[in-house]
Amino acid sequence: MGLQKYNQKRNFKVTAEPKGKLASSKTGRRFYIQKHDASHLHFDFRLEYDGVLKSWAVPKGPSTSPGVRRLAMEVEDHPLEYGHFEGTIPKGEYGGGTVMLWDRGSWEPVEDPGTGLKKGKITFKLKGNRLKGTWTLVRSWNSQGEKNMWFLIKKNEPGLKSTEPVTEEVTSVSSGRTMEQISKGKKPKRKEKAHVTPSAKTLKLPSNFKPQLATLVDSVPEGKEWIHEIKFDGYRIIAVIENGQVRLFSRNGLDWTDKLQNIAEELATLKIENGILDGEVIAPGPEGHSDFQALQNAFREHRQKHLMYYVFDIISHDEKDLKDLSLIERKKILETILKSSKSYAHISISEHVVGNGQKLFDHACRLGLEGIVSKRSESGYVYSRSHDWVKVKCQLRQEFVIVGFTKPGGSRVGFGSLLLATHHGGKLRYAGRTGTGFDVKGIRDMKKKLDGITINNRPAIQDPHEEIGKENEITWVKPKLVAEIKFATWTAHKLLRQAVFMGLRQDKKAEDVKLEKEKPVKQMKPTKKATSTSSSTFSGMDISKSDKILFTPDITKGELAQYYVNIKKWILPHLLKRPLAVVRCPDGHEKFCFFQKHETSKNAGPANKRFVKNGKSGEYIYIDSLEGLISLVQMGVLELHSWGTRIDHFEKPDEIVFDLDQDPSVNWEAVIKAALRIRERLQQAGLKSFVKTTGGKGLHIVAPINPVKKWTEVKAFTKAFAEAISAEFPDEYLSNMSKEKRKGKIFIDYLRNGRGATAVVPFSTRAKSGAPVSTPVTWEELPKIKSADQFTVKNIESRLKSLKKDPWKDFFNIKQDLPDFN
């Protein structure tokens, strides 16, 4: 449609709605849902496509119940800026009334969206704050032949739980306000809370993420393949943005969002819903250049309003992994994002020059800056120190571990000097001392920190005692604090000369501090990009690209196949001839993943069987051999979920499962306590049960049963059972899946016992970093289990070898009927 209709319908002198222009970039995948109280209350559903927001008015709002059809009237396209709009449209104007940003996130088309929009059917996956999973928009032709009537329908998917967010969620995902508060013009309690909300605190720096580091070299590299940037004298900060919410992390993973609220607030207004940015926070000194001591003072005195965040890289953007793109391409994306947004007081892009690195270096040294960083323009982003990024310093600077301090002399108070060391060969090596670079307040603050970590004995230091000083003049401290030191040179005994304290490095771990030595720049070879072309055979099945990384940090497709070969006797009894739903991540768990329950001829192989019940449509995946399992690995399957039945008694389950799904505020000990209670109640009902970790966050309690009752009867029993326990302990458990009601409680999920519902198979991996494994344990060892993801592909085999007997030894031998439950 374009934006002509949108602009024609609005008087922008009266309404605060944004006057839109077609976006130059047409590849975004954001979605927004706005609750709109106009002539009638409805929800506006918007998908970013082709530079605009394709929009539908949904009178009743989206339903998460599979198959429920919600009328969605297609309206005019809206500009991308509209996705951030929240406020009141004046009465008498088009759409007059209150608008709340009810949900936002990213979407992924299952099929070509352009074709789908033309034909009248588009299927997509949502990843939002409130709506998740697969949905379909289907056009319906009404009696007048108009094309604007559609239906929004939620797809049925295993693993995604039905809720009613339209009635349960009544506040804005942006500002936290209700419709009434927005209509009355009430402002958020603090401006930054409009984006940096409490729920954003759940955001984490990805466990596999390590910032790319530069190698110290002896001279500036030459050639046009290098770009050069000023080396900032500040703290490295990684910004994680998810669904428009922001958290800021130091290079060692500490959450610094609360320290840098002004920067977090501005980052949240960028036109990026999901992504990871890399940069440096600095404090401008008197000359406008970055000043590390000024940065230290700013943090010490809690005055961060003048701090700047210089962004120099982008690693992911709206669900797209960018680390394999060239640096110059990533820089262009970053520049587009920052320049398409408004002017900021606390955010700027780090400028660079191509070639002429020596000129930039000389200029930096004349200004008294630390130096420059040179980067290969065609290099990808790697999670380590590399030769593609190098640094050249104008002055000698290095981090050192503080290991002690001397008594003050003369009129000085606090301490005389700090004793410094670096790690070498796993031990500390003495490097000298510094007594300058402190003001009176700095000495007082440092002394407080030192007094809190004093120890009686000297840390294990390699160098002779006489180089350090007299023992009675020194107070030793735990080697925890890291100091940034500027110095003139090294002595013949490799001790610092003219060392000056610059500040403490709160962003670096003491154990990581090693002596940096310049390397010849000529030895810096480009990092080779990983390729996945190898093929290997496992149990007679070929696995292509067996060296492809499926789990971070470093678990390959071949290693996953070998894992299943090694534990075949453990997993196959729980897996063979059971209808399956699988999670496929062909390019690894960090990329696009999707559920698959029905078999298709396209991926059916000789080891993959298909099952058709009574000739009805719907062919379910199942396997009957190890070869079948390996063929699933070849398909990129990272999770195996099974029905509670087998194909020879398809309509009669042979096990029941209770999934303990705890609110984040509930501790692990409470989950264990809940599992033991369920075991006790099942015993009272005449059922022996077993327990396993899920590899996710909870526990599964499983009881084998004779396959004599139908699905409806089994689900009715488990529902009544869960409700009974919840009624007995209402402050601890609930049988209702409502997230709002779940706060501080454990949801006893009985819904996995319905026809078509699934639970993760024992010994299956989960699509998470580190490849955690769902693991059967004994009831006796359960109190010793530390977490649901304690066991992984890396440690599960050693566990199995150490076991004297199978924790679920009697599982397949037990014959017990499901009782009637009243």
Side-chain angles (χ1 to χ4, degrees):
M1 291 183 185
L3 297 176
Q4 186 176 359
K5 282 189 177 181
Y6 171 85
N7 290 325
Q8 286 175 347
K9 291 182 175 183
R10 289 162 177 82
N11 182 355
F12 296 105
K13 293 180 180 179
V14 178
T15 181
E17 297 167 281
K19 186 175 183 180
K21 295 180 180 179
L22 286 173
S24 57
S25 173
K26 299 184 179 182
T27 58
R29 288 284 185 264
R30 291 170 286 186
F31 85 89
Y32 305 91
I33 299 178
Q34 285 154 317
K35 191 174 182 179
H36 190 175
D37 191 4
S39 57
H40 60 279
L41 182 65
H42 64 280
F43 290 76
D44 292 314
F45 182 77
R46 312 190 194 280
L47 295 176
E48 180 183 357
Y49 178 74
D50 204 21
V52 297
L53 294 175
K54 309 298 291 186
S55 299
W56 292 261
V58 185
K60 293 185 179 180
S63 171
T64 57
S65 297
V68 173
R69 294 154 61 92
R70 286 290 165 87
L71 178 65
M73 300 300 293
E74 186 176 10
V75 297
E76 74 276 8
D77 294 340
H78 283 52
L80 299 186
E81 292 85 353
Y82 206 96
H84 301 285
F85 176 69
E86 182 172 277
T88 302
I89 303 170
K91 289 184 178 180
E93 293 300 306
Y94 177 76
T98 304
V99 177
M100 171 202 285
L101 183 53
W102 185 82
D103 198 13
R104 62 184 172 190
S106 61
W107 70 281
E108 191 72 32
V110 175
E111 299 163 345
D112 178 58
T115 303
L117 286 167
K118 289 177 182 179
K119 292 185 176 181
K121 182 179 180 182
I122 176 173
T123 303
F124 46 87
K125 291 179 180 289
L126 296 182
K127 294 182 180 179
N129 287 47
R130 292 167 177 169
L131 296 190
K132 304 181 189 301
T134 306
W135 301 70
T136 298
L137 271 166
V138 182
R139 183 188 291 131
S140 173
W141 294 77
N142 63 16
S143 58
Q144 285 76 36
E146 296 177 356
K147 297 182 180 180
N148 66 339
M149 184 184 292
W150 296 64
F151 290 102
L152 179 64
I153 307 167
K154 175 72 179 65
K155 288 273 192 176
N156 190 13
E157 296 175 283
L160 288 175
K161 298 166 185 175
S162 296
T163 60
E164 288 303 328
V166 168
T167 56
E168 294 171 1
E169 306 288 357
V170 296
T171 57
S172 164
V173 294
S174 174
S175 65
R177 297 178 293 177
T178 63
M179 292 289 281
E180 183 180 5
Q181 289 171 333
I182 295 170
S183 67
K184 291 181 178 180
K186 183 176 180 179
K187 295 181 179 180
K189 292 180 180 179
R190 291 180 62 183
K191 185 179 178 182
E192 62 267 21
K193 293 300 180 182
H195 297 282
V196 190
T197 63
S199 62
K201 292 184 178 180
T202 61
L203 302 186
K204 302 292 183 183
L205 187 65
S207 59
N208 66 306
F209 184 88
K210 303 293 181 186
Q212 182 162 353
L213 302 178
T215 301
L216 181 64
V217 294
D218 58 357
S219 59
V220 179
E222 299 176 351
K224 292 183 178 180
E225 70 271 24
W226 293 92
I227 64 172
H228 310 274
E229 303 169 348
I230 292 293
K231 189 179 189 303
F232 294 107
D233 203 358
Y235 282 133
R236 186 78 170 271
I237 293 293
I238 312 300
V240 176
I241 305 173
E242 185 174 311
N243 296 326
Q245 299 178 344
V246 177
R247 302 305 290 175
L248 301 175
F249 298 91
S250 66
R251 60 180 281 181
N252 60 342
L254 298 177
D255 190 332
W256 281 23
T257 314
D258 292 339
K259 295 182 178 183
L260 302 166
Q261 280 284 350
N262 290 334
I263 292 171
E265 176 193 351
E266 289 194 353
L267 284 169
T269 64
L270 289 177
K271 293 180 181 178
I272 172 173
E273 291 295 320
N274 298 276
I276 299 177
L277 306 178
D278 194 355
E280 189 121 350
V281 166
I282 64 105
E287 302 297 324
H289 309 308
S290 58
D291 185 324
F292 190 71
Q293 288 184 325
L295 182 63
Q296 291 284 297
N297 294 338
F299 279 111
R300 187 178 67 196
E301 298 166 12
H302 305 287
R303 47 179 181 83
Q304 289 89 29
K305 289 187 178 180
H306 68 294
L307 301 184
M308 289 289 298
Y309 184 41
Y310 279 90
V311 189
F312 49 68
D313 215 326
I314 180 167
I315 294 89
S316 65
H317 176 216
D318 287 351
E319 307 301 316
K320 294 182 177 66
D321 188 342
L322 306 179
K323 67 178 183 293
D324 292 332
L325 292 181
S326 69
L327 171 61
I328 208 68
E329 288 178 292
R330 301 197 305 273
K331 282 250 186 184
K332 287 178 181 177
I333 294 171
L334 186 59
E335 186 176 355
T336 299
I337 292 170
L338 291 177
K339 288 191 175 180
S340 66
S341 303
K342 65 179 184 180
S343 177
Y344 290 107
H346 302 286
I347 306 171
S348 182
I349 192 168
S350 175
E351 303 290 348
H352 66 269
V353 298
V354 179
N356 293 318
Q358 189 61 48
K359 281 188 177 181
L360 183 65
F361 178 72
D362 294 340
H363 180 66
C365 294
R366 283 196 299 270
L367 294 174
L369 304 181
E370 188 178 354
I372 67 170
V373 178
S374 303
K375 304 174 181 179
R376 281 193 173 89
S377 61
E378 294 301 316
S379 64
Y381 192 99
V382 297
Y383 296 161
S384 64
R385 193 178 298 277
S386 79
H387 290 182
D388 293 328
W389 289 16
V390 299
K391 55 187 176 183
V392 194
K393 294 185 177 182
C394 300
Q395 49 189 266
L396 293 176
R397 292 220 358 210
Q398 159 84 47
E399 296 90 28
F400 293 89
V401 182
I402 300 173
V403 294
F405 60 93
T406 63
K407 294 179 180 180
S411 60
R412 183 160 177 165
V413 295
F415 58 87
S417 59
L418 302 177
L419 275 61
L420 307 169
T422 59
H423 283 94
H424 180 77
K427 296 182 179 179
L428 288 166
R429 171 180 285 177
Y430 180 63
R433 61 179 68 192
T434 180
T436 60
F438 305 94
D439 57 20
V440 175
K441 193 173 188 305
I443 289 178
R444 185 168 62 246
D445 291 344
M446 176 64 77
K447 185 62 164 53
K448 286 182 181 178
K449 289 182 172 66
L450 294 171
D451 286 344
I453 57 173
T454 59
I455 53 178
N456 295 326
N457 299 317
R458 181 174 67 133
I461 300 176
Q462 290 179 334
D463 296 88
H465 180 214
E466 53 267 22
E467 289 189 4
I468 297 175
K470 295 180 180 179
E471 190 80 24
N472 61 359
E473 296 179 351
I474 297 172
T475 301
W476 302 106
V477 298
K478 296 177 183 177
K480 287 187 172 182
L481 299 178
V482 178
E484 176 90 4
I485 304 295
K486 178 174 69 174
F487 57 100
T489 187
W490 294 94
T491 69
H493 296 290
K494 295 185 178 180
L495 299 178
L496 297 169
R497 176 174 288 172
Q498 298 178 22
V500 179
F501 175 81
M502 303 297 292
L504 287 177
R505 301 294 315 209
Q506 301 175 49
D507 60 334
K508 295 185 180 180
K509 296 179 181 178
E511 56 266 29
D512 294 337
V513 173
K514 298 177 182 178
L515 185 62
E516 277 193 313
K517 295 182 179 179
E518 290 181 342
K519 295 183 179 181
V521 71
K522 293 181 180 180
Q523 293 182 4
M524 300 297 103
K525 304 298 182 185
T527 301
K528 293 182 179 179
K529 291 187 178 181
T531 57
S532 297
T533 58
S534 63
S535 177
S536 302
T537 301
F538 300 86
S539 188
M541 299 295 296
D542 289 334
I543 295 291
S544 62
K545 299 182 180 179
S546 60
D547 59 349
K548 177 187 283 187
I549 301 293
L550 291 184
F551 297 93
T552 54
D554 58 355
I555 299 171
T556 66
K557 193 175 181 181
E559 288 175 313
L560 179 60
Q562 188 60 55
Y563 160 71
Y564 283 130
V565 170
N566 293 348
I567 62 136
K568 60 185 178 183
K569 73 173 185 178
W570 297 90
I571 190 172
L572 292 181
H574 299 282
L575 184 63
L576 300 184
K577 295 187 177 181
R578 287 186 174 275
L580 300 177
V582 298
V583 176
R584 294 179 62 188
C585 309
D587 293 313
H589 78 92
E590 291 187 316
K591 303 291 181 67
F592 178 64
C593 298
F594 57 96
F595 270 99
Q596 181 179 335
K597 177 184 288 189
H598 298 285
E599 182 64 286
T600 64
S601 57
K602 185 169 70 172
N603 57 47
N608 285 8
K609 303 300 180 184
R610 292 180 291 164
F611 176 70
V612 182
K613 182 63 178 176
N614 295 332
K616 295 180 180 178
S617 62
E619 299 179 336
Y620 299 99
I621 302 170
Y622 79 89
I623 60 172
D624 60 4
S625 65
L626 174 62
E627 290 73 20
L629 176 54
I630 301 305
S631 71
L632 294 179
V633 175
Q634 170 62 12
M635 291 165 53
V637 170
L638 301 193
E639 292 189 13
L640 302 158
H641 298 255
S642 69
W643 294 34
T645 189
R646 292 169 59 89
I647 62 171
D648 49 358
H649 48 76
F650 191 70
E651 298 297 344
K652 294 179 179 178
D654 61 5
E655 65 182 32
I656 57 172
V657 180
F658 293 99
D659 176 15
L660 299 185
D661 187 0
Q662 71 271 30
D663 179 75
S665 63
V666 177
N667 62 40
W668 178 246
E669 289 72 22
V671 180
I672 293 175
K673 181 180 177 182
L676 293 170
R677 276 179 173 164
I678 291 175
R679 179 200 187 194
E680 180 183 356
R681 297 301 185 273
L682 287 172
Q683 284 176 333
Q684 293 171 1
L687 295 174
K688 182 174 181 179
S689 61
F690 300 78
V691 64
K692 66 182 175 73
T693 65
T694 62
K697 67 173 187 176
L699 293 169
H700 282 174
I701 298 90
V702 187
I705 58 174
N706 296 326
V708 294
K709 292 185 180 290
K710 296 180 180 179
W711 287 107
T712 52
E713 297 173 286
V714 171
K715 187 174 181 180
F717 170 87
T718 56
K719 180 175 186 291
F721 184 92
E723 289 174 343
I725 294 182
S726 300
E728 186 177 358
F729 305 98
D731 295 332
E732 298 177 62
Y733 314 128
L734 78 165
S735 57
N736 186 307
M737 64 176 15
S738 167
K739 286 189 176 180
E740 185 67 27
K741 297 178 181 178
R742 198 181 308 178
K743 292 180 180 178
K745 299 182 181 181
I746 299 172
F747 171 40
I748 302 177
D749 184 357
Y750 63 87
L751 299 172
R752 298 180 183 276
N753 300 287
R755 189 183 189 278
T758 61
V760 66
V761 172
F763 302 104
S764 166
T765 56
R766 304 304 298 269
K768 296 172 59 180
S769 178
V773 173
S774 176
T775 306
V777 298
T778 65
W779 286 109
E780 291 70 27
E781 70 174 323
L782 179 60
K784 301 177 184 177
I785 300 299
K786 303 298 183 183
S787 67
D789 57 1
Q790 175 177 335
F791 301 108
T792 70
V793 164
K794 294 289 189 181
N795 62 29
I796 185 67
E797 291 184 57
S798 61
R799 165 183 163 77
L800 297 178
K801 290 177 182 177
S802 68
L803 292 175
K804 293 182 180 179
K805 66 175 184 178
D806 184 348
W808 285 22
K809 180 176 180 293
D810 299 324
F811 186 85
F812 296 105
N813 299 323
I814 291 176
K815 305 299 179 185
Q816 52 189 12
D817 287 327
L818 191 70
D820 294 326
F821 191 83
N822 298 312

